Amino acid sequence: MSRTKKTHQNKVWGGRFTDPTNKEMLIFNSSINFDKKLYMHDIEGSLAHAEMLAKQKIILKKDFSEIKSGLLKIKKEIENDVFNFKNELEDIHMNIETRLIQLIGEAGKKLHTARSRNDQVVTDLKMWIRDEIEVIENLLKELQKSLIMQAEKNHDVLMPGYTHLQVAQPITYGHHILAYVEMFGRDRSRLLDCKKRLNECPLGAAALAGTSYPIDRNFVAKKLKFDFPTRNSIDSVSSRDFAIEFISCLSLISTHISRISEELIIWSSQRFNFITMGEQFTTGSSIMPQKRNPDAAELARGKSSRVFGNLMNILSLVKGLPLAYSKDLQEDKEPIFDSSETVRSCLINLNGIINTIEIKQEEMLSALTKGHPTATDLADYLVTNLNFPFRDAHKITGKIVLLAEKNNCALNELSIEQLKTVESKIDINALKVLKPQVSVSKKTSFGGTSPRLVKKAISDAKKRYL
C-alpha cells in the first residue's frame, strides 16, 4: 500500500502527501496545455535567476553553468517539438524544472532556491505581454500606414459625411479615413502606457513574503529588461491589473477594428456601393453564385465581442480574491492569450482589406445628391452674407429643404426664383454655396475636411505615427 502511494504521489510537491492525486484532479489542475506558450520567458527568467544566485554565492558558479547548459538544451527540445509535456507536472515551470533535473542532476534541484512558482509565473506573464505589446503596436503602425496611404490617394474625393447614419455634410474620403488613423494612434499610446506600468519585475517576491536568501532583485530586473523590481511582495504575486489593462487596451483596439469593419461592410453593399473589397478578403456563397461576402470584415467585427468577453472574464476572476496568491489566477492566461491572438489576426486581415479596396469616386459623389448635405452651408451663408441670426437662418434653410423635397430635387437644383419664395433677400450668390465642392473647400478650421487641410493632416500623421 505504501509503495503504491509513493509511486503515484506528485514528485514536485508530494513530500507532505501520502495519497495519490485523483486522475481527474490531475487534468483539472494542469495548465500545461496553454501555459507552455510561456516556455521562452520561463527559461529566460530562470537563466537570470540562476545567474543571480551564483553571483550572490547562493549556488556555485559550476551549478549555474550546468543549469544554463540544461535550460538551453530544453529550449531546443521545445523548439524542435521533441519535449514531452506532462499533465502530472501541472505547468510549464515544473515541466521545465523536472526535465532540467533529469538532464543535469543535483544542480537542477538548486534552481528553485529563493523563488516560488507564484513570482515565477507572474514574471513570465509580464514578459510575454511585454513582447505581445511590441508586436501589436507594430501591427497598428502598419495599419495606420495603409490608412494614411489610402487617405493620400483620395484626399480630395468627395463623399457624404453621416450623423445618425443620415446624410449630414460633404466630406472627403481622405478626411474620413484619417479619423481611424487617430483612433489607432491612441490605441498605440495606450499599449505603450500599459507596457510602462507593467515593466516592474516580480521575481524575488517568492511565494508572498519575499525570501531570507541574500538575493539581488535589481540584478534580475535589469537582466530581464525590467525598469526595477516590484516594491511589495504581496502585491507582486497577487495582482493582475497589468493583465486587465492589457485586455482593456485590446478591447478598445477591437472596438475601433469593429467600427471601421462595419463601415467597410456598409460601403461595400449594393445600397452604398462606395467601395469594392479585394477578392482575397471576401468569400462566396454555397448556394448563391452571385454573392461576394465581406467575411473578413464581418469576422473582424464579430471577434470584438470575444475580446470584450475575455475582459469581463478576468475582471470577474480577480474581483473577489483575497491576497495573496490563489489558484484561481491560473485562469488568467487563456483569456489573455486568446485576446492577443484574436487582435493580432484581426489587425493583419484588416490591413489586407484596406490595401485591396477599390474606391468608387463617382458613386460617392452621386450619393451627395441625396439628403441635402449642403443645407448647413446655406444657413451659414445667410448668417455671413445677409446678417441673419443663426437660428433664423436655420429656420429659413429648413423651409428651403422642404421646398426641395416637395419638388423632388436637390437644393442646388432649385432656381433663385424658388429660393426667393422662401426668403426675398436671398441673392444669386447663394447658389454657389450649395455645391459640395465649395462646401468642402470652405471647411478650413483646424481639423476640418478641406482637401488642403487633409493634405497637411496626412503629412502630420506621417511624422507623428510613421
Side-chain angles (χ1 to χ4, degrees):
M1 185 71 169
S2 61
R3 187 182 306 139
T4 302
K5 290 181 179 178
K6 184 177 180 181
T7 302
H8 290 89
Q9 68 187 13
N10 189 294
K11 297 295 192 301
V12 176
W13 41 259
R16 179 254 180 269
F17 290 77
T18 56
D19 285 335
T21 307
N22 180 277
K23 288 183 180 179
E24 290 300 321
M25 174 57 180
L26 279 174
I27 298 170
F28 191 57
N29 192 47
S30 175
S31 60
I32 191 59
N33 287 334
F34 53 84
D35 70 13
K36 60 185 175 184
K37 191 185 289 282
L38 299 173
Y39 81 90
M40 177 72 75
H41 304 92
D42 195 71
I43 290 172
E44 287 179 14
S46 290
L47 286 169
H49 180 69
E51 185 176 354
M52 179 274 295
L53 291 177
K55 184 181 80 73
Q56 296 299 103
K57 298 181 180 179
I58 298 170
I59 65 173
L60 300 174
K61 288 183 179 180
K62 177 178 176 292
D63 294 329
F64 168 60
S65 180
E66 291 180 20
I67 288 170
K68 182 177 180 180
S69 176
L71 287 173
L72 293 177
K73 183 172 182 180
I74 290 169
K75 179 173 174 285
K76 286 184 179 180
E77 288 180 350
I78 296 175
E79 290 172 345
N80 294 329
D81 202 25
V82 295
F83 187 93
N84 184 22
F85 293 104
K86 297 178 180 178
N87 272 329
E88 59 267 28
L89 295 175
E90 297 184 8
D91 54 34
I92 187 61
H93 323 296
M94 298 319 305
N95 268 269
I96 288 176
E97 184 179 318
T98 302
R99 177 59 177 151
L100 180 66
I101 294 169
Q102 288 175 354
L103 287 171
I104 67 172
E106 289 300 308
K109 296 178 181 179
K110 299 178 182 180
L111 174 60
H112 208 55
T113 307
R115 76 174 184 186
S116 163
R117 280 188 292 176
N118 294 358
D119 60 339
Q120 189 178 356
V121 65
V122 73
T123 301
D124 292 357
L125 191 56
K126 280 191 169 188
M127 291 169 67
W128 186 89
I129 290 176
R130 192 173 62 185
D131 287 350
E132 284 297 293
I133 285 174
E134 185 174 331
V135 172
I136 293 170
E137 201 258 334
N138 282 328
L139 287 174
L140 284 167
K141 183 178 179 180
E142 285 300 308
L143 178 57
Q144 284 182 297
K145 182 178 179 181
S146 298
L147 291 168
I148 290 169
M149 287 174 63
Q150 273 273 324
E152 194 165 29
K153 289 178 187 175
N154 304 282
H155 75 279
D156 58 352
V157 172
L158 298 183
M159 66 175 290
Y162 296 88
T163 61
H164 309 279
L165 209 57
Q166 306 293 315
V167 173
Q169 291 181 282
I171 60 170
T172 62
Y173 178 80
H175 190 58
H176 191 109
I177 289 299
L178 284 178
Y180 287 105
V181 173
E182 295 301 319
M183 293 180 203
F184 290 123
R186 290 191 296 274
D187 290 332
R188 285 174 66 187
S189 69
R190 272 185 284 268
L191 282 174
L192 294 176
D193 283 346
C194 176
K195 182 178 177 181
K196 182 179 179 181
R197 264 184 291 279
L198 71 77
N199 208 35
E200 301 177 1
C201 184
L203 210 56
L208 80 160
T211 178
S212 57
Y213 291 98
I215 61 173
D216 185 347
R217 292 192 65 202
N218 284 294
F219 175 86
V220 174
K222 186 176 180 180
K223 197 76 178 176
L224 296 177
K225 299 179 182 178
F226 286 99
D227 294 329
F228 37 76
T230 49
R231 289 174 171 81
N232 183 285
S233 59
I234 297 175
D235 174 58
S236 300
V237 299
S238 60
S239 295
R240 293 295 185 272
D241 51 1
F242 67 91
I244 294 170
E245 183 176 6
F246 177 56
I247 302 185
S248 178
C249 291
L250 297 183
S251 294
L252 282 166
I253 294 169
S254 297
T255 300
H256 296 147
I257 290 172
S258 182
R259 292 190 75 180
I260 190 171
S261 296
E262 167 71 4
E263 294 208 299
L264 294 173
I265 292 163
I266 291 173
W267 290 349
S268 67
S269 69
Q270 284 82 5
R271 288 286 183 178
F272 277 75
N273 199 28
F274 286 176
I275 64 170
T276 299
M277 291 189 196
E279 290 186 1
Q280 306 96 309
F281 295 93
T282 57
T283 65
S285 165
S286 64
I287 187 172
M288 296 170 283
Q290 84 281 10
K291 294 295 294 295
R292 185 171 172 180
N293 300 323
D295 280 12
E298 289 176 352
L299 283 168
R301 180 181 62 185
K303 285 181 182 292
S304 61
S305 61
R306 181 171 180 156
V307 181
F308 302 160
N310 286 335
L311 177 59
M312 292 303 105
N313 180 336
I314 195 166
L315 281 168
S316 301
L317 173 73
V318 173
K319 76 173 183 64
L321 292 183
L323 301 181
Y325 183 84
S326 297
K327 190 71 171 184
D328 310 50
L329 291 174
Q330 179 170 289
E331 294 295 306
D332 63 355
K333 292 166 201 63
E334 288 182 285
I336 295 168
F337 296 158
D338 181 71
S339 296
S340 193
E341 183 178 336
T342 298
V343 169
R344 273 199 198 204
S345 178
C346 288
L347 287 171
I348 290 169
N349 280 279
L350 179 57
N351 194 34
I353 294 169
I354 296 298
N355 285 323
T356 59
I357 283 176
E358 176 191 337
I359 307 302
K360 298 187 175 181
Q361 298 185 26
E362 291 183 7
E363 296 290 344
M364 289 181 173
L365 186 60
S366 175
L368 282 168
T369 63
K370 304 169 185 175
H372 313 295
T374 55
T376 304
D377 297 277
L378 178 58
D380 290 340
Y381 175 82
L382 296 175
V383 171
T384 304
N385 294 72
L386 302 180
N387 297 317
F388 282 98
F390 180 77
R391 279 296 158 216
D392 291 344
H394 188 284
K395 186 175 182 180
I396 292 166
T397 302
K399 291 180 178 179
I400 292 172
V401 168
L402 187 60
L403 178 64
E405 288 178 348
K406 286 180 179 178
N407 285 274
N408 194 28
C409 67
L411 284 179
N412 60 355
E413 293 175 333
L414 291 171
S415 67
I416 186 62
E417 289 76 21
Q418 287 174 307
L419 294 177
K420 283 182 174 291
T421 62
V422 177
E423 175 49 61
S424 60
K425 292 182 181 180
I426 292 178
D427 56 35
I428 194 71
N429 293 320
L431 296 178
K432 296 178 183 178
V433 304
L434 295 176
K435 296 179 179 179
Q437 293 85 347
V438 174
S439 170
V440 166
S441 68
K442 288 183 176 293
K443 300 300 186 294
T444 55
S445 59
F446 182 77
T449 193
S450 159
R452 179 173 59 83
L453 287 184
V454 172
K455 288 181 75 174
K456 288 184 178 180
I458 289 166
S459 178
D460 176 59
K462 287 180 180 178
K463 291 175 184 176
R464 288 189 295 136
Y465 297 126
L466 305 184

